[in-house]
Amino acid sequence: MSKLLCLVRRLEHGGRRTLFFAACSTAAALPPIPAAAQLKPPPAKPVVLDEVVVTATRVEESSFGLPVSIDRVDRSVIREDKPQVNLSETLNRVPGIVVQNRQNYAQDLQIQSRGFGARSTFGVRGIRLIADGIPATMPDGQGQAATFSLGSADRIEVLRGPFSSMYGNAAGGVIQIFTADGPPEPTLSGGLFAGSYDTWKAAVQFGGTSGQFNYLGDISRFDTNGYRDHSSARRDQLNAKVKYDAGNRGVLTMVVNSLDQPETQDPLGLTAAQVARNPRQADPVAFTFNTRKSIAQTQLGVTYSLPLTAADVLEARAYAGDRQVTQYLAIPLATQAAATHSGGVVDLDRGYGGAGLRWTHTAELAGTQLIATAGVDYDNQDERRTGFINNNGVTGALKRFEDDTVYDTDFYAQVEWRFAERWTLLAGVRHSRVEFDSKDYFIAPGNPNDSGSVGYVRTTPAAGLTFSLSPAVNLYGNIGRGFETPTFAELAYRSGGASGLNFALRPAVSLNREVGLKSKLGDSMRLNIALFHINVTDEIVVDTNSGGRSTFKNASHTRREGVELAWDGRFKYGFEAAFAYTLLNAQFTEPFTTVISTPSVVRTVNAGNRLPGVPRQTAYGEVVWRYAPVGFHAGVEGRYVSKIYVNDPNTEAAPPYTVWTLRAGFEQRARNWRISEFVRVDNVFGRDYIGSVIVAEANNRFYEPAPTRNHLVGVQASLKF
């Protein structure tokens, strides 16, 4: 497979140029700059401010003093010269995080943290997703990033390492997005963007403050024909937040969001030979079975923060939502006809919701500050899942009919104690109970009653220490346990074609250890380095994969060890730079067997094989120059990803690649309005490369090619009333 890119013929850049529209809500949240200030040169001593985060401790803290790996991506990074559609636009600048844009909106992004989540063939697993305090990950561990509203985001926080377990069933990390508050004055903003492949997005945002109320609403439409054949998508999204500040009676916040994504085409993966012939093609069976997916989701969440005393705060949350999915898969009709097969059409109607209560107390212990937190969470999903024959793109006979329920109940406690002048302790424990239950109503000859239930209970402690070597240098270390239950999709089938859910699967259990350094290099630069070692017992791996059906089992042990480095700085004359690097050795430490490909072949996975889907090295770099007198900026970005194996036996791999982006923009401001324009060119040198892989795909269709040279232009504006 090292020759894969050599086989890919060079493509002349094609595709029609069309308008691409997106909202810029940055202007809605930023005050105008006085005219005199626009003419001033950059400050003589640019500074890098401390990052204030809440994900690690659930209270506002500077990340510099915490014994955890956590990064914050601010709104300026999320929105500047970007379409604000996918997390892949911004999170690859965070070390330890790899976001693979599949160029396939039917399957969503593939997100991994320190190698966790890499095997997911759709959606996000192994990582906890949270939006404004409301889980975007279901209790079984499966989540969707498509519901994140980047156009109205204030910031994104990314937590890796042992303290991720303080959020429950997620071994790899936590990604939390926060919607911005509305601006002080009523403000209307919007924007229009245009890009390659008939891609466009339009959005309008309105926000403001009225007395004790603060509000912000964002609505957008994204549309694309896609880089590849049979990959068009449309996404309509709404995100609205209303906050009522009652002073000493607390703050009530309500967030409503919805996603409508109908008839999203799925081009499927390609084999190496198909990529060589034409990386823009869809597999022919995608047309035969008209592979596609429709998603409709609506959610309402409410949070309430009440100060009980000067030292005590009580916080509550509640949420409820509905998600409907219909997906057409490419499975041969003869295979679908088997008595125990669930068909090629998945129809899911899911209701979900939950509640949580948290108490935070600030006190003094031995003359130093102590912050204690305790809470309880309850989350539930209840879905009606049916399956039908996919009769060449048309829904056929019923093949599956069941009700699946999963809920978790978690209790947790956490303490942060600055017990000495230079020392800080952060420790916590979480007790989780996750219960699965399935009631089967499709009982037929050869397909008996497959009802059943299973429960998983785990207690996950974590502890870390920070030592202040100097005001500019902190050393830290932490250790903790985590766990990751199988999802309902992984429980769905037993090996060998037997009926019934695979309740023999056990949760993967991890032991995480990490040491690191956080340093301020003067006032204008910041450097973070983390070394980590993770041992996982009962790693969940593919057992068999054929006929559109994947079964899973527990492998004995895996190991992930590596180093993460993040550096950023501000310099004279308007220059800024950032760099992130990850070296990750993720491998199986004990052998096992797996059945791969069609026809089925039993393969031995040797100890020392690398975990599929996980690159050994990734790097991101960016340099930006700003010239304030005319509101101009220009930047260059580069990204490197090393070879990625596509299956457990490591028989094939996607080659390494390096891609570059150029971008530039202007901005004009006055007292009540703001307008900005930009242009960006991705993959400047027109590199043919594999943007993501489908781990252990049954038909060897492992590869999802990324676009060659493509462009994006846009204009954004806001007006204050």
Side-chain angles (χ1 to χ4, degrees):
M1 287 313 300
S2 62
K3 297 181 179 179
L4 178 62
L5 288 191
C6 297
L7 297 174
V8 181
R9 65 178 179 84
R10 304 292 295 180
L11 295 177
E12 293 295 329
H13 175 60
R16 289 169 285 172
R17 271 64 169 171
T18 56
L19 286 183
F20 184 93
F21 303 92
C24 172
S25 46
T26 304
L30 293 176
I33 296 177
Q38 298 181 39
L39 302 178
K40 290 183 179 180
K45 292 184 177 181
V47 296
V48 174
L49 301 177
D50 283 346
E51 293 183 331
V52 176
V53 296
V54 302
T55 303
T57 60
R58 293 182 170 85
V59 296
E60 289 192 350
E61 292 278 355
S62 168
S63 63
F64 181 70
L66 296 174
V68 298
S69 289
I70 187 168
D71 288 87
R72 166 175 167 156
V73 181
D74 288 318
R75 76 181 81 181
S76 60
V77 175
I78 297 170
R79 299 171 188 173
E80 184 174 84
D81 304 344
K82 297 181 181 70
Q84 305 155 47
V85 175
N86 297 307
L87 287 176
S88 56
E89 302 164 20
T90 55
L91 289 195
N92 284 314
R93 67 190 295 124
V94 177
I97 300 294
V98 178
V99 186
Q100 305 284 24
N101 187 346
R102 301 179 185 275
Q103 303 298 318
N104 181 351
Y105 289 91
Q107 303 298 347
D108 209 347
L109 301 173
Q110 182 191 84
I111 305 177
Q112 55 181 283
S113 173
R114 295 183 176 176
F116 292 100
R119 77 170 182 275
S120 180
T121 56
F122 63 92
V124 180
R125 66 169 324 284
I127 301 171
R128 201 76 175 173
L129 302 177
I130 303 171
D132 296 304
I134 305 300
T137 296
M138 294 296 101
D140 70 341
Q142 190 80 41
Q144 303 290 330
T147 57
F148 279 8
S149 176
L150 299 181
S152 54
D154 176 68
R155 69 187 189 277
I156 301 170
E157 295 181 11
V158 183
L159 173 66
R160 287 96 64 208
F163 280 90
S164 303
S165 65
M166 293 299 100
Y167 285 86
N169 179 15
V174 179
I175 298 175
Q176 185 162 195
I177 191 170
F178 298 86
T179 298
D181 289 340
E185 300 172 334
T187 303
L188 177 67
S189 63
L192 307 175
F193 294 101
S196 303
Y197 318 119
D198 287 344
T199 302
W200 61 271
K201 183 185 173 185
V204 176
Q205 187 177 108
F206 185 74
T209 303
S210 178
Q212 295 172 292
F213 286 93
N214 179 274
Y215 54 90
L216 184 73
D218 181 88
I219 186 170
S220 66
R221 167 166 287 188
F222 167 77
D223 197 290
T224 182
N225 275 351
Y227 168 67
R228 296 175 57 200
D229 297 336
H230 197 73
S231 62
S232 67
R234 193 195 84 202
R235 179 183 291 176
D236 293 327
Q237 202 160 4
L238 166 71
N239 191 57
K241 183 174 90 168
V242 178
K243 181 186 291 186
Y244 175 68
D245 189 345
N248 59 10
R249 291 179 295 170
V251 177
L252 179 69
T253 303
M254 181 177 68
V255 179
V256 178
N257 58 64
S258 69
L259 171 71
D260 183 32
Q261 191 173 306
E263 298 293 309
T264 303
Q265 294 179 333
D266 185 352
L268 307 178
L270 299 178
T271 66
Q274 289 174 318
V275 173
R277 288 194 298 269
N278 178 10
R280 295 191 66 174
Q281 69 175 305
D283 188 281
V285 299
F287 298 100
T288 301
F289 292 97
N290 192 12
T291 50
R292 63 199 189 271
K293 186 177 185 179
S294 295
I295 305 170
Q297 178 170 317
T298 303
Q299 178 177 290
L300 169 66
V302 178
T303 62
Y304 180 55
S305 178
L306 176 65
L308 301 175
T309 68
D312 297 276
V313 176
L314 188 66
E315 296 171 278
R317 67 170 175 89
Y319 70 98
D322 177 79
R323 180 178 178 86
Q324 298 183 23
V325 176
T326 303
Q327 184 171 15
Y328 289 75
L329 306 173
I331 302 174
L333 289 171
T335 302
Q336 296 184 62
T340 58
H341 202 281
S342 58
V345 180
V346 177
D347 191 88
L348 181 152
D349 186 357
R350 174 186 295 166
Y352 62 92
L357 190 65
R358 179 171 70 245
W359 165 74
T360 303
H361 177 71
T362 303
E364 283 194 4
L365 179 63
T368 57
Q369 186 186 59
L370 181 143
I371 302 174
T373 302
V376 57
D377 290 331
Y378 173 81
D379 303 287
N380 176 80
Q381 73 178 61
D382 191 350
E383 66 186 30
R384 168 66 54 86
R385 182 180 292 265
T386 52
F388 303 87
I389 293 288
N390 181 356
N391 190 6
N392 295 333
V394 178
T395 302
L398 181 70
K399 292 289 291 181
R400 185 176 188 176
F401 184 25
E402 65 192 40
D403 286 337
D404 295 332
T405 302
V406 58
Y407 68 87
D408 64 28
T409 306
D410 291 19
F411 299 89
Y412 63 90
Q414 192 167 319
V415 62
E416 180 188 4
W417 182 26
R418 305 182 188 278
F419 61 89
E421 182 180 356
R422 294 191 174 190
W423 291 90
T424 300
L425 169 69
L426 182 63
V429 63
R430 187 176 183 109
H431 180 75
S432 303
R433 173 181 289 274
V434 185
E435 299 281 351
F436 291 81
D437 182 74
S438 180
K439 290 182 172 60
D440 183 13
Y441 304 113
F442 186 75
I443 303 170
N447 190 350
N449 190 336
D450 297 328
S451 301
S453 61
V454 66
Y456 305 108
V457 180
R458 288 292 185 275
T459 299
T460 52
L465 283 171
T466 300
F467 174 69
S468 179
L469 192 64
S470 72
V473 179
N474 281 342
L475 304 176
Y476 73 91
N478 56 53
I479 186 171
R481 290 195 174 275
F483 82 108
E484 181 180 346
T485 70
T487 66
F488 247 124
E490 292 166 337
L491 291 168
Y493 306 111
R494 297 179 185 177
S495 299
S499 64
L501 298 180
N502 187 10
F503 287 131
L505 269 180
R506 301 180 299 275
V509 178
S510 60
L511 175 62
N512 293 255
R513 287 160 286 193
E514 178 183 338
V515 294
L517 175 147
K518 299 181 181 183
S519 176
K520 300 176 182 178
L521 307 176
D523 293 329
S524 62
M525 290 186 288
R526 176 170 46 215
L527 173 67
N528 294 342
I529 301 175
L531 288 82
F532 58 89
H533 184 100
I534 307 168
N535 288 324
V536 179
T537 302
D538 288 333
E539 183 90 38
I540 299 173
V541 300
V542 174
D543 185 18
T544 65
N545 196 346
S546 63
R549 171 180 289 186
S550 297
T551 65
F552 297 85
K553 67 179 181 180
N554 297 100
S556 296
H557 295 91
T558 62
R559 180 173 63 240
R560 297 165 172 85
E561 54 188 2
V563 59
E564 298 169 354
L565 182 149
W567 170 89
D568 66 293
R570 306 289 184 270
F571 307 96
K572 293 182 179 180
Y573 310 113
F575 283 96
E576 305 170 3
F579 179 74
Y581 173 77
T582 304
L583 174 64
L584 172 58
N585 181 29
Q587 60 183 205
F588 298 103
T589 55
E590 291 187 6
F592 63 95
T593 60
T594 184
V595 179
I596 65 170
S597 303
T598 301
S600 298
V601 178
V602 178
R603 298 270 190 173
T604 297
V605 178
N606 297 315
N609 276 20
R610 293 189 53 78
L611 268 64
V614 182
R616 181 177 174 82
Q617 296 184 75
T618 58
Y620 173 89
E622 177 186 67
V623 177
V624 180
W625 176 60
R626 303 186 188 278
Y627 189 62
V630 296
F632 174 76
H633 71 268
V636 58
E637 304 171 14
R639 182 170 179 245
Y640 168 76
V641 176
S642 65
K643 177 172 68 175
I644 301 177
Y645 287 105
V646 298
N647 54 20
D648 293 336
N650 291 179
T651 57
E652 290 194 31
Y657 64 86
T658 302
V659 291
W660 298 91
T661 295
L662 296 177
R663 59 184 180 90
F666 281 96
E667 181 179 81
Q668 304 84 45
R669 295 194 187 193
R671 178 176 178 82
N672 293 320
W673 58 267
R674 170 181 171 178
I675 299 176
S676 63
E677 310 86 21
F678 77 86
V679 59
R680 68 180 289 133
V681 181
D682 290 300
N683 196 359
V684 172
F685 299 108
R687 179 79 181 268
D688 292 308
Y689 71 100
I690 303 301
S692 66
V693 300
I694 306 172
V695 172
E697 209 281 336
N699 300 287
N700 295 324
R701 299 191 296 247
F702 302 119
Y703 307 103
E704 295 178 298
T708 54
R709 185 183 303 111
N710 61 97
H711 73 275
L712 175 70
V713 297
V715 59
Q716 307 171 76
S718 69
L719 176 66
K720 293 190 176 185
F721 297 94

